[in-house]
Amino acid sequence: MGWAHRVRDHGGVLFLDLRDRYGIAQVVFRPEKLDKPSMERARAIGSEFVVLVEGVIQRRPAGSENREMPTGQVEVEADAIAILNTSRTPPFPLDDSAMASEDLRLRYRYLDLRREPLKESIIFRHHMTRSVREYLSDEGFLEIETPLLVKPTPEGARDYVVPARLHPGKFYALPQSPQLYKQILMVAGFDRYFQIARCLRDEDLRADRQPEFTQIDLEMSFVTEDDVFAVVEGTLHAIFQRDLGKDLPIPFPRITYDESMARYGSDKPDLRIPFELKDVTQVAGESAFEVFRGAKAESPAKMTGAIAVPGLATASRREIDGFEAAAKQAGAAGLAWTRVKAGSLDGGVGKHFDASLLPRLLEATGAKEGDLLLFASGARVMVQRVLGLLRTQIGNAAFKLDPKEFRFVWVHRFPLFEWDEGRKGWSAAHHIFTMPLDEDLAYLESDPGRVRAQLYDLAANGNELASGSVRIHRKDVQEAVMRVIGMKAEEGQLKFGFLLEAFEYGAPPHGGIALGLDRLVVLFHGGDSIRDAIAFPKTASATSLMDGAPASIDPADLKELKIRVEV
Ligand code: ASP
């Protein structure tokens, strides 16, 4: 039983490719074997009809085998056929002969899910999730569900809210993550918790996000970041072994946030790209180029940074202009360049470098014959951002990066706070329950900008895959953090009083992390966006084209909820 994938009428003999979840089999209907009504039924089969066939599986006649197909050696010689259901003509072909627009595919998601790539992705997701469950369970983790109707959680996005009918005027929030509840589970003594948890965030959906997505959410008691890293490494190692048949080298390398910004201009570096950012403030500042001299004079607040792109001395002026446009868009005043050719600097700012500086510049940048040198000068943060962006852009365009070469890296010791220009105040870089580094505790209130946190991300190939932290379990530290971000004690009480209270009853030191499951599926299995890893995803404007959500509700329901809509 299955779906009619393709029907070919060879005048007399009829071939049907019958498809189900497990694959496709060829069925042959021969007029000499079947009675007339059966043959007529077979001829009536249309695309995506649901059919039942009885017959004998046999070798295909010599010469008609299909090596492309796993079942290409055999066919089913039909001796009975029933049509279990008809189908309207699908609005797009399901055999990959032409790609329909994504909107059309989202509208008819159940048809798109019948197609090989999406189906395989959903199946992979199941297997991967099972590996995670098995591995973590074997490591002593307990899978515990946390509520979906919650007090607002502190992940920093907008909450989706649900009116509480029994408490007119009050609302539940849908959880942005199980953060508070998993911490309370630590207080409750469940020292190893995990959950395959749905998270809901009402954000403007930038770059490949979904309003609801899934995390592999973990929390552990009596741990340092090393323990958390080891569990995540073990989990990914298990996925690689069980679902990809590969041996993943662990442990992963670790770099600090500062080093990541200095070397890659990004907190989620792609280590496959074969060049890094270099600080050339000193040697460039000795050239005759005014901008470089200025940066040296004002260092360390300002700097001149460079990337040496291997082999790209062949880049045309137009390409270099393109790089400069990208740099300017990212906030640079300009982008300086030169080529390393025939043992000297060719073009661009090359003429400002005295020959005696050349060896030092080559040494500082690591540039070799045939490389293109790109320089940005100015405020350190801007220079890192701009060169980091160019590194990613040029790295992806000019080098064949293998999507199946996974270069995992831990980035840790992030700053605890970020300066919020709009609010003119500090806000938590991750969330307010993140523990500062012990050695920075002393500056918590006197110099919040220099406080680093026990805060870590896992990145691979330019993607952020996980974030987590060791948490604050001391009341005084928690209160100090709240003061720094300008949260009044009463506000804290109102929002997370229940957590703070729980912390007063013997909260163990604890920490955790959450991995984005949807993105892992796409990274490991393939796909264009996390929509390909989710059975029923939403569009960029958070709508579901299949069922039409969100939708209005009945005025009677609104009345019962005591809600008046003003639109
Ligand atoms: N709740 C955090 C998040 O969703 C993860 C964590 O800190 O464990 O980013």
Side-chain angles (χ1 to χ4, degrees):
M1 285 172 266
W3 286 262
H5 189 64
R6 212 177 290 137
V7 188
R8 286 172 321 245
D9 197 340
H10 283 201
V13 185
L14 189 86
F15 291 96
L16 162 70
D17 284 345
L18 190 63
R19 189 196 66 237
D20 68 7
R21 178 181 135 192
Y22 309 94
I24 292 180
Q26 174 169 291
V27 181
V28 233
F29 301 94
R30 294 185 198 282
E32 59 271 26
K33 283 229 37 182
L34 289 162
D35 58 21
K36 227 170 153 224
S38 302
M39 211 51 213
E40 263 160 31
R41 272 201 304 282
R43 280 191 211 292
I45 298 171
S47 191
E48 298 304 306
F49 278 32
V50 187
V51 300
L52 175 155
V53 173
E54 272 176 35
V56 177
I57 299 168
Q58 57 192 29
R59 258 185 194 290
R60 291 193 192 184
S64 63
E65 299 94 344
N66 181 350
R67 296 199 180 285
E68 308 284 299
M69 248 174 115
T71 58
Q73 303 293 316
V74 296
E75 61 190 10
V76 180
E77 170 95 43
D79 39 48
I81 155 88
I83 294 180
L84 302 179
N85 210 344
T86 59
S87 167
R88 288 167 62 181
T89 305
F92 51 88
L94 303 189
D95 57 6
D96 283 336
S97 55
M99 249 333 233
S101 78
E102 191 174 22
D103 278 2
L104 193 64
R105 292 190 288 123
L106 285 170
R107 162 94 169 73
Y108 298 96
R109 189 65 171 176
Y110 41 87
L111 295 180
D112 205 17
L113 285 165
R114 288 183 193 170
R115 288 174 52 246
E116 196 70 12
L118 264 193
K119 182 192 76 181
E120 290 301 331
S121 175
I122 299 298
I123 294 173
F124 178 84
R125 181 186 177 115
H126 162 77
H127 289 300
M128 196 187 101
T129 310
R130 184 175 74 172
S131 300
V132 170
R133 284 205 160 93
E134 280 175 4
Y135 178 80
L136 291 174
S137 306
D138 290 347
E139 290 295 309
F141 283 78
L142 297 173
E143 182 169 12
I144 304 177
E145 286 176 300
T146 52
L148 278 179
L149 297 174
V150 303
K151 276 268 282 224
T153 43
E155 244 66 52
R158 208 176 287 114
D159 286 319
Y160 279 104
V161 294
V162 179
R165 180 182 55 84
L166 297 177
H167 307 275
K170 296 209 165 140
F171 295 84
Y172 301 100
L174 298 176
Q176 294 184 31
S177 84
Q179 186 63 36
L180 300 185
Y181 298 88
K182 68 173 173 175
Q183 291 193 240
I184 290 180
L185 284 170
M186 296 303 110
V187 181
F190 294 106
D191 62 348
R192 294 187 149 212
Y193 142 96
F194 85 100
Q195 182 177 194
I196 308 297
R198 199 72 69 79
C199 302
L200 300 109
R201 300 182 188 178
D202 185 3
E203 297 174 297
D204 294 327
L205 298 177
R206 13 172 209 122
D208 202 17
R209 300 275 183 102
Q210 281 284 309
E212 44 183 319
F213 58 96
T214 305
Q215 289 183 342
I216 304 167
D217 194 42
L218 302 173
E219 197 74 9
M220 305 161 76
S221 291
F222 311 110
V223 292
T224 62
E225 64 174 23
D226 298 327
D227 303 289
V228 178
F229 290 4
V231 165
V232 173
E233 285 160 353
T235 305
L236 290 170
H237 187 265
I239 293 173
F240 269 66
Q241 199 167 46
R242 296 173 202 194
D243 304 308
L244 299 169
K246 284 192 194 151
D247 186 36
L248 176 68
I250 49 172
F252 305 143
R254 300 177 189 188
I255 55 174
T256 64
Y257 170 84
D258 288 343
E259 187 185 347
S260 188
M261 296 311 290
R263 289 173 59 186
Y264 309 106
S266 163
D267 58 6
K268 42 178 193 227
D270 189 337
L271 301 189
R272 294 170 307 169
I273 299 173
F275 53 95
E276 299 183 4
L277 277 53
K278 301 288 177 184
D279 186 337
V280 296
T281 313
Q282 290 309 321
V283 51
E286 288 173 39
S287 74
F289 193 52
E290 268 318 311
V291 179
F292 293 169
R293 298 179 71 87
K296 178 168 177 257
E298 287 183 60
S299 89
K302 292 199 173 169
M303 73 176 281
T304 299
I307 47 178
V309 189
L312 220 67
T314 51
S316 65
R317 270 313 293 269
R318 257 190 69 200
E319 284 173 90
I320 296 175
D321 289 348
F323 301 151
E324 173 155 34
K328 283 185 169 163
Q329 209 181 12
L335 185 72
W337 61 275
T338 187
R339 308 183 178 96
V340 187
K341 257 190 183 169
S344 63
L345 299 178
D346 176 51
V349 291
K351 59 178 178 287
H352 299 295
F353 283 82
D354 194 274
S356 66
L357 286 178
L358 182 64
R360 276 174 61 208
L361 182 68
L362 296 186
E363 157 107 51
T365 55
K368 305 229 156 27
E369 181 67 21
D371 291 0
L372 174 69
L373 274 168
L374 299 173
F375 304 86
S377 221
R380 187 165 293 270
V381 179
M382 180 278 291
V383 168
Q384 290 178 344
R385 184 181 61 234
V386 166
L387 291 178
L389 206 98
L390 286 174
R391 177 177 178 271
T392 311
Q393 239 174 47
I394 300 173
N396 276 288
F399 296 86
K400 273 207 170 50
L401 305 180
D402 178 359
K404 295 283 169 217
E405 181 199 346
F406 300 105
R407 298 286 301 276
F408 293 95
V409 55
W410 289 108
V411 181
H412 64 163
R413 301 175 160 236
F414 276 75
L416 182 58
F417 300 108
E418 277 166 0
W419 182 253
D420 184 336
E421 212 22 71
R423 220 167 45 83
K424 296 260 178 276
W426 295 105
S427 58
H430 186 48
H431 50 59
I432 66 164
F433 307 113
T434 297
M435 185 76 143
L437 286 185
D438 288 340
E439 63 258 44
D440 290 355
L441 259 177
Y443 319 107
L444 190 51
E445 292 188 78
S446 56
D447 191 359
R450 73 179 272 191
V451 179
R452 291 157 305 162
Q454 300 188 46
L455 174 53
Y456 36 78
D457 275 3
L458 179 65
N461 302 5
N463 298 288
E464 180 194 317
L465 301 179
S467 279
S469 60
V470 171
R471 325 294 183 188
I472 298 172
H473 65 281
R474 270 170 44 192
K475 195 160 176 254
D476 56 334
V477 180
Q478 186 66 66
E479 284 168 352
V481 167
M482 283 163 50
R483 277 195 297 276
V484 174
I485 64 163
M487 183 182 281
K488 300 241 159 27
E490 307 83 74
E491 190 188 345
Q493 272 305 324
L494 204 68
K495 286 189 171 159
F496 346 97
F498 64 107
L499 178 72
L500 301 178
E501 183 176 58
F503 279 180
E504 291 179 35
Y505 291 90
H510 60 285
I513 193 163
L515 294 94
L517 181 110
D518 315 286
R519 202 163 302 281
L520 287 182
V521 171
V522 174
L523 191 68
F524 297 161
H525 178 73
D528 298 327
S529 88
I530 62 168
R531 291 187 294 282
D532 291 342
I534 300 174
F536 300 106
K538 305 247 179 332
T539 62
S541 56
T543 59
S544 166
L545 296 180
M546 187 184 72
D547 56 21
S552 312
I553 61 169
D554 199 319
D557 294 339
L558 283 175
K559 202 159 174 224
E560 194 175 22
L561 293 167
K562 302 209 168 25
I563 289 179
R564 210 171 33 235
V565 178
E566 293 183 9
V567 272

